[in-house]
Amino acid sequence: MKTTETPAPVPAEPGVTVTKADPPGAKPPKEGKEGGVLNAFSHGMLVLWAVMVVMPLVWAVMTSFKDDKSIFSSPWALPDKLHFGNWSRAWTDAHMGDYFFNTILVVGGSLIGTLVLGSMAAYVLARFEFPGNRFIYYLFIGGMSFPIMLALVPLFYVVNNMGLLNTIHGLILVYIAYSLPFTVFFLTAFFRTLPSSVAEAAFVDGASHTRTFFQIMLPMAKPGLVSVGIFNFLGQWNQYMLPTVLNTDPDKRVLTQGLVQLAASQGYKGDWSGLFAGLVMAMLPVLAAYIVFQRQVVQGLTAGAVK
C-alpha cells in the first residue's frame, strides 16, 4: 500500500508572520452583539413611528362614528354603535359635499395643468441647450425658496385686477403657479436620467419634437410624473392659506375652509361628531391616492440612483 508523504513546511521569510489556516469544516466566527442590538433598536423605532402615525388616524375614524357624549366620556373606547348620521349630517347640513366637489375641481384642474406645463418646461431645460437655459432653471428653483406669505397681498391685487377673485379657474391658475417650481425642479432631474438614444432614434424615423415628447419621452417619465403628482396633490388638497385669501365666496369654498367653518359654526356647542366625520372625508382621498400609487412613488424617487 502506498502512502502519501506530507510535504515539509516551507520556512517563512524573515519579518513575515505566518497564520494558521482554518481547517476544513470549521465554523465561521460568531457575529458580535452590536449588529443585533442595532437591528433591534431600528425595528423598535420603526414600530414606534408606525404607532405614532397610525393611531391618530384610527382614532379619528373611530371617533367619527360616535355621538358627542361618547367622544368626551369615553374617548378611547369603541363606539357603542355606528352613528352613520354623523357622516350624512356633515355631508349635507355642513355642506361638505359642496366643498368636496369644489376641491375636486380645483385640485384636478391644477394638477393636470401643473403636470402638463411642468413636464414640458422640464423636458426643454433638461434636453436642449440654448442661451439662458441655466438662468431659467435657477429662476424656477428660486421660486421654491420664495415664501408664499410675502406674496399674498400683491397676489390678491393681481388676481382681483384680472377679474379672477372668488372664481374656481382663478384658484386653479394660482395653484399651478404655486406648484410649478418644485415640479420643474423634480422633473428636470428625472428627464436627464432617461436615455437620449430613444429620442434620437425617433428623430431619425422622422418624428417631430412634439410627437417625440408626448408619445415617447412622457410615457418613459411615468414614475416621475406619478411621484411629483402625488406630492402636488397632497400640497394642493391640504392648501388653506391661498383659498382663504383668494376665495371668500361661501359657495365656492374648498374642504379646508369648510372644516374650519364647521369647527367654528356653533361656537362652544360645536358638532364634534360631524367635525370628525368631515375630517375623515377630507383625509380618505389622500390616503387612497398614496396607497394606490405608493409603488410608483418609490420608483420615481429612486429612478436614476443606480445605473
Side-chain angles (χ1 to χ4, degrees):
M1 179 180 297
K2 297 181 179 182
T3 58
T4 303
E5 297 180 357
T6 304
V10 180
E13 297 180 2
V16 177
T17 304
V18 179
T19 58
K20 184 178 180 181
D22 296 334
K27 296 182 179 180
K30 296 182 178 180
E31 297 182 357
K33 296 182 179 180
E34 292 80 3
V37 174
L38 182 60
N39 290 334
F41 177 77
S42 60
H43 284 77
M45 292 300 297
L46 289 176
V47 171
L48 179 61
W49 177 258
V51 171
M52 293 174 61
V53 172
V54 174
M55 281 302 296
L57 303 179
V58 174
W59 182 77
V61 174
M62 182 180 64
T63 307
S64 66
F65 291 101
K66 292 182 178 181
D67 55 3
D68 292 338
K69 182 179 179 180
S70 300
I71 292 176
F72 292 98
S73 61
S74 54
W76 300 107
L78 294 174
D80 52 355
K81 66 176 182 179
L82 300 180
H83 297 269
F84 291 101
N86 300 337
W87 287 64
S88 62
R89 188 171 64 255
W91 185 263
T92 57
D93 297 346
H95 306 288
M96 295 299 295
D98 298 334
Y99 302 149
F100 194 91
F101 180 72
N102 293 337
T103 307
I104 291 292
L105 289 179
V106 173
V107 175
S110 60
L111 193 60
I112 294 174
T114 301
L115 292 180
V116 172
L117 297 177
S119 60
M120 294 171 66
Y123 177 74
V124 172
L125 293 175
R127 292 290 180 172
F128 298 94
E129 293 293 337
F130 55 90
N133 181 299
R134 305 308 297 173
F135 174 76
I136 298 175
Y137 175 71
Y138 288 122
L139 195 63
F140 277 107
I141 294 181
M144 297 173 55
S145 61
F146 191 79
I148 192 61
M149 295 292 294
L150 297 180
L152 287 178
V153 175
L155 184 61
F156 175 85
Y157 285 106
V158 169
V159 174
N160 188 29
N161 292 334
M162 296 177 63
L164 299 176
L165 195 64
N166 298 327
T167 60
I168 296 295
H169 53 281
L171 201 57
I172 290 176
L173 292 177
V174 173
Y175 275 22
I176 292 175
Y178 175 75
S179 304
L180 269 181
F182 173 74
T183 303
V184 173
F185 168 74
F186 187 94
L187 292 180
T188 300
F190 191 87
F191 276 117
R192 287 173 181 169
T193 63
L194 298 181
S196 59
S197 58
V198 179
E200 294 173 356
F203 293 144
V204 172
D205 291 339
S208 62
H209 289 287
T210 304
R211 185 176 181 181
T212 301
F213 172 72
F214 284 103
Q215 294 188 359
I216 297 176
M217 303 305 294
L218 200 61
M220 293 176 61
K222 180 181 177 181
L225 292 174
V226 173
S227 299
V228 75
I230 290 296
F231 291 140
N232 286 329
F233 175 76
L234 295 176
Q236 295 173 4
W237 187 272
N238 297 322
Q239 182 61 244
Y240 175 72
M241 186 64 65
L242 289 177
T244 301
V245 176
L246 305 176
N247 185 29
T248 57
D249 189 352
D251 296 331
K252 297 177 182 178
R253 288 172 177 165
V254 294
L255 272 176
T256 51
Q257 294 175 287
L259 289 176
V260 174
Q261 178 65 24
L262 181 59
S265 59
Q266 298 182 11
Y268 293 101
K269 297 180 180 180
D271 186 5
W272 297 103
S273 56
L275 177 61
F276 276 99
L279 175 64
V280 176
M281 289 179 189
M283 180 179 62
L284 286 180
V286 177
L287 292 178
Y290 185 78
I291 291 173
V292 172
F293 297 105
Q294 61 177 340
R295 181 174 299 180
Q296 287 81 358
V297 171
V298 175
Q299 291 178 356
L301 293 177
T302 58
V306 180
K307 295 185 179 180

